[in-house]
Amino acid sequence: MSKARDLEQHLERVEKQLRLCQQVSRYLTRPVQLYDALQSIVGMIAEFMQSDSCLLYLISRGELVLCAAKGGNPGAVGDVRLRLDEGLTGWVARERRLLSLSREAYHDPRFKLFRELPEDTYEAFLSAPILCRNRVLGVINLQHRPVHAHSGDEMDLLTTVGEQIGGLVAAASLDQTALERTDWAELALASRIVAQPS
Amino acid sequence: MSKARDLEQHLERVEKQLRLCQQVSRYLTRPVQLYDALQSIVGMIAEFMQSDSCLLYLISRGELVLCAAKGGNPGAVGDVRLRLDEGLTGWVARERRLLSLSREAYHDPRFKLFRELPEDTYEAFLSAPILCRNRVLGVINLQHRPVHAHSGDEMDLLTTVGEQIGGLVAAASLDQTALERTDWAELALASRIVAQPS
């Protein structure tokens, strides 16, 4: 009985992860504004991960600008800016690597204090780069107020969501004319004969 | 014991679905050629779905061109072309809807016979549009030689994979300069004040 219960709980968790991936992926298709899509996505992630905050930064002329926030101070969206050499978030953008700190994130020497964000006092920090074709378009951060050891599933999921958001943001930069006029088959077939760039 | 076994099998299936989504998503990030990414993805889908063929078409000047194939005749890639008013595939592109036929797909009045493709004799047909921001970029088809009733999971999964491929193909049309120079934060924040297009 206890084995069946463990399996049930595990199954429920994996099904929720799959649903989250599918929901994020759906925004690639929907004709919604990028801003609204990003707000919805950070809300879904924060809820799924039961985190106290989820902040999404995108690159703007060499800086990271807060573009979506769940928890914390929503008024800071568009205002909070980080240089790439600042904070844990800047480190993730530079290194293009997942970062997991289960406690005392604020004591990490890479930490940068913001007066605008209550997240400055949160213990646990999980952060993934938002990537598209090996370039960083931004960073997504999850924070838990109490100490929280991130599971492998949580790390995998934030990695995948970061990739999906990368595709979403990149696709949003194409206007309707580009989407209508591009010869998609030629784009794919041409890459069959071109040598891989280094 | 039998309940635990059912749960184990269900869990295994859901975990495989999640892994497939994560693997497809990973191609959004990797610096591989679009052509190679699409070949790998159709291979993964065919394997996961245990289908006899997986064909991926992309739009080229109002036609659908075969751009990736697993099973069937790989030599037909780049050659097989369909008008949007032809075949089951054209129907999916026009209607932008999933199509599932469990048997005798070749008897469907929308079916178009190709001499190049052995899939002409296959029973079951599952097809999803490849979409990006509400526009069709292509179609992905799964075929089983014997009769095969598609499960809800299979339909959901092909829908999600179609969306992910839409993001992948759209992102591939951006060159490195666009990826480096675009102000991603401005792109997101500007859509906060713009009214939603109808």
Side-chain angles (χ1 to χ4, degrees), chain B residues 124-195:
Chain B
F125 185 89
L126 181 64
S127 178
I130 294 172
L131 298 167
C132 183
R133 308 234 316 284
N134 226 19
R135 303 220 59 100
V136 174
L137 311 189
V139 172
I140 183 162
N141 296 341
L142 268 188
Q143 287 175 276
H144 287 83
R145 221 179 291 247
V147 171
H148 178 86
H150 306 110
S151 69
D153 280 355
E154 285 175 332
M155 295 191 218
D156 283 351
L157 198 61
L158 200 68
T159 301
T160 298
V161 167
E163 290 160 357
Q164 290 182 313
I165 297 172
L168 176 70
V169 172
S173 74
L174 295 169
D175 59 24
Q176 287 295 324
T177 313
L179 287 174
E180 270 168 53
R181 297 214 183 140
T182 300
D183 187 329
W184 302 104
E186 191 185 275
L187 181 74
L189 295 170
S191 71
R192 170 162 57 162
I193 39 170
V194 171

Side-chain angles (χ1 to χ4, degrees), chain A residues 3 8 25-26 28-29 33 35 59-60 133-135 160 163 171 174 176 180 183-185 191 196-197, chain B residues 3 8 25-26 28-29 31 33 35 59-60 133-135 163 171 174 176 180 183-185 191-192 197:
Chain A
K3 189 188 175 192
E8 264 168 4
S25 164
R26 207 112 311 162
L28 278 160
T29 307
Q33 294 295 335
Y35 179 81
I59 296 270
S60 166
R133 308 232 317 283
N134 227 18
R135 304 221 57 101
T160 298
E163 290 160 357
L174 295 170
Q176 287 295 325
E180 270 168 52
D183 187 329
W184 302 104
S191 70
Q196 184 117 358
Chain B
K3 189 186 173 191
E8 263 167 5
S25 165
R26 206 112 311 163
L28 279 160
T29 307
Q33 293 295 334
Y35 178 82
I59 297 268
S60 165
R133 308 234 316 284
N134 226 19
R135 303 220 59 100
E163 290 160 357
L174 295 169
Q176 287 295 324
E180 270 168 53
D183 187 329
W184 302 104
S191 71
R192 170 162 57 162

Side-chain angles (χ1 to χ4, degrees), chain B:
Chain B
M1 268 314 274
S2 149
K3 189 186 173 191
R5 210 172 137 193
D6 282 356
L7 282 167
E8 263 167 5
Q9 284 177 350
H10 190 173
L11 178 61
E12 198 185 322
R13 218 162 46 238
V14 179
E15 277 179 332
K16 272 170 82 177
Q17 286 176 58
L18 178 64
R19 241 182 348 260
L20 181 67
C21 282
Q22 289 179 324
Q23 281 168 348
V24 174
S25 165
R26 206 112 311 163
Y27 281 100
L28 279 160
T29 307
R30 286 195 196 159
V32 296
Q33 293 295 334
L34 178 60
Y35 178 82
D36 298 327
L38 296 177
Q39 307 311 312
S40 301
I41 290 171
V42 298
M44 289 185 329
I45 298 168
E47 193 189 334
F48 176 80
M49 302 276 206
Q50 298 183 297
S51 70
D52 296 298
S53 133
C54 182
L55 303 181
L56 188 152
Y57 294 82
L58 292 175
I59 297 268
S60 165
R61 285 166 282 149
E63 292 190 316
L64 288 157
V65 179
L66 185 64
C67 286
K70 170 72 187 177
N73 177 3
V77 168
D79 285 332
V80 168
R81 300 180 80 93
L82 269 170
R83 292 201 315 271
L84 289 181
D85 59 358
E86 286 183 319
L88 297 169
T89 306
W91 184 89
V92 169
R94 282 199 319 281
E95 298 288 326
R96 297 186 292 177
R97 279 161 60 186
L98 191 80
L99 177 65
S100 158
L101 299 169
S102 59
R103 62 173 70 233
E104 296 184 14
Y106 43 81
H107 277 162
D108 190 281
R110 296 164 291 190
F111 189 79
K112 178 186 155 83
L113 188 89
F114 282 104
R115 260 169 259 143
E116 300 93 327
L117 298 176
E119 286 82 351
D120 282 354
T121 59
Y122 292 1
E123 289 282 339
F125 185 89
L126 181 64
S127 178
I130 294 172
L131 298 167
C132 183
R133 308 234 316 284
N134 226 19
R135 303 220 59 100
V136 174
L137 311 189
V139 172
I140 183 162
N141 296 341
L142 268 188
Q143 287 175 276
H144 287 83
R145 221 179 291 247
V147 171
H148 178 86
H150 306 110
S151 69
D153 280 355
E154 285 175 332
M155 295 191 218
D156 283 351
L157 198 61
L158 200 68
T159 301
T160 298
V161 167
E163 290 160 357
Q164 290 182 313
I165 297 172
L168 176 70
V169 172
S173 74
L174 295 169
D175 59 24
Q176 287 295 324
T177 313
L179 287 174
E180 270 168 53
R181 297 214 183 140
T182 300
D183 187 329
W184 302 104
E186 191 185 275
L187 181 74
L189 295 170
S191 71
R192 170 162 57 162
I193 39 170
V194 171
Q196 185 115 359
S198 58

Side-chain angles (χ1 to χ4, degrees), chain A residues 71-140:
Chain A
N73 177 4
V77 168
D79 285 334
V80 168
R81 299 181 81 93
L82 269 169
R83 293 200 315 270
L84 290 181
D85 59 0
E86 287 183 319
L88 298 169
T89 307
W91 185 89
V92 170
R94 283 200 318 281
E95 298 289 325
R96 296 186 292 176
R97 278 162 61 187
L98 191 81
L99 177 65
S100 159
L101 299 169
S102 60
R103 62 172 71 234
E104 295 183 15
Y106 43 80
H107 276 162
D108 190 282
R110 295 165 290 189
F111 189 79
K112 177 187 156 83
L113 188 88
F114 282 104
R115 261 169 259 143
E116 299 93 326
L117 297 176
E119 286 81 352
D120 281 354
T121 58
Y122 292 1
E123 289 282 338
F125 185 90
L126 181 63
S127 178
I130 294 172
L131 297 167
C132 182
R133 308 232 317 283
N134 227 18
R135 304 221 57 101
V136 174
L137 311 189
V139 173
I140 184 162

